[in-house]
Amino acid sequence: MALPGFRKRRSTNTSVADGSAKDGASAENDATIKRLTKTRRNVALISSFCYLLAFVFLVLVEIGNTKGTKVLGDIYFFKLNLANIIPQSAPSLTLMNSIARTLGLHDFYQVGLWNFCEGYEDEGITFCSTPTNLWWFNPVEILKNELFAGASIPLPNQVNEILNLLHIASNIMFGFFLASTILDFLMIFIAPIVLYSRWWSMPVGILSFIAFILATVAAAIGTAMSLIFKYALTSQSDLNIQAEVGMKMLAFMWIAVGFTFVSFVIHSGLCCCCTSRRDVRTGRRGGQNMPAASMEEKPKMGSKLPSFGRNSSKS
């Protein structure tokens, strides 16, 4: 009758001891995993921070020139200065202010991603068009709509030749900028998932590469479009049209591309470098430094039960 009681007390004490050992081993395992994956965690956080910065600069590109404020009004792709443009209908007209005003035009027009703004040199921006999806800048249509009746301006042939290409390029740039902005925002929260396994680095790296390509192509189109307009409109010296490229817009675009590229390089390296949680748990990297896990305790428990049974039978 004493044996069952002895067996019962021993099993209870053993289970409590095993539970305490498992908890201690689990806590020690977690500490070891955190220590061994510290480098990967820090690098993943750096990539998320780079995505955050890229997202901020892409947002500035998106909202640039949408309003005539001091900050947003200075962010544009290019700016046309027509204050001293030479009209074909009145080449010898004596003007009080600028030639553009007498024709019904504004002194300058500046182009953003969603719309255009216009204004006068002494007043600043006086009007911005309503932001529109897939908007593109058509200088011929805008200038013709604002000219007074009977007035006309001899635009260079280069402008008319690139309008169709400009339409297509503007739509591609608009879509790519919007897609890269959304993707960079999502990657801020997706990037840390690579901490758990190196297998996650491949799909995350593919998304990072897509975000980089979208931002790069959009920035390249915006830069090319601004430079083409500048040289096409200023090539006619007798027309006296001045054009300038928005350096702030170009800087914001390429800074966003740079941060996205850094994140892509990081995720490419994480495919084969830095220990992940899965590497530690499977023993591929750093597993030999981990304390005994609960899986190693199961054979010990199984080996004790038969021997305990043999001892009870002999007694």
Side-chain angles (χ1 to χ4, degrees), residues 34-231:
K34 289 181 179 180
R35 178 175 56 83
L36 295 176
T37 59
K38 181 179 180 180
T39 302
R40 190 177 187 88
R41 181 178 65 255
N42 293 339
V43 173
L45 292 177
I46 291 174
S47 67
S48 294
F49 183 69
C50 290
Y51 282 123
L52 176 61
L53 294 178
F55 171 74
V56 170
F57 283 104
L58 286 175
V59 168
L60 291 175
V61 173
E62 291 283 344
I63 64 177
N65 203 65
T66 54
K67 292 183 179 180
T69 60
K70 186 176 181 180
V71 177
L72 299 182
D74 290 337
I75 305 175
Y76 52 83
F77 286 105
F78 58 92
K79 181 178 182 179
L80 304 180
N81 191 338
L82 309 179
N84 299 316
I85 192 171
I86 299 176
Q88 190 176 31
S89 57
S92 61
L93 187 63
T94 302
L95 306 176
M96 294 181 62
N97 293 319
S98 67
I99 299 176
R101 294 193 188 190
T102 63
L103 298 175
L105 299 175
H106 290 73
D107 290 346
F108 64 86
Y109 296 84
Q110 56 189 45
V111 180
L113 190 63
W114 297 77
N115 62 338
F116 77 95
C117 294
E118 59 189 12
Y120 301 103
E121 291 182 346
D122 56 346
E123 299 180 18
I125 297 176
T126 58
F127 170 77
C128 289
S129 62
T130 303
T132 306
N133 292 331
L134 299 177
W135 179 85
W136 69 289
F137 179 67
N138 188 343
V140 176
E141 181 180 356
I142 293 175
L143 296 181
K144 285 183 177 180
N145 290 337
E146 296 199 350
L147 285 172
F148 287 142
S152 61
I153 297 175
L155 293 174
N157 294 329
Q158 290 88 336
V159 175
N160 296 324
E161 293 176 357
I162 65 174
L163 283 181
N164 291 332
L165 294 177
L166 175 64
H167 189 186
I168 298 174
S170 297
N171 290 343
I172 295 176
M173 180 183 66
F174 181 91
F176 278 23
F177 266 131
L178 187 60
S180 61
T181 303
I182 296 174
L183 190 54
D184 277 350
F185 175 75
L186 295 177
M187 291 297 293
I188 297 174
F189 308 98
I190 295 177
I193 200 175
V194 300
L195 175 65
Y196 297 96
S197 175
R198 284 189 295 154
W199 287 105
W200 282 109
S201 298
M202 181 174 294
V204 173
I206 293 175
L207 291 177
S208 180
F209 177 73
I210 294 175
F212 168 68
I213 291 297
L214 291 175
T216 302
V217 173
I221 293 176
T223 303
M225 182 181 65
S226 302
L227 294 177
I228 288 174
F229 253 102
K230 177 180 179 180
Y231 291 111

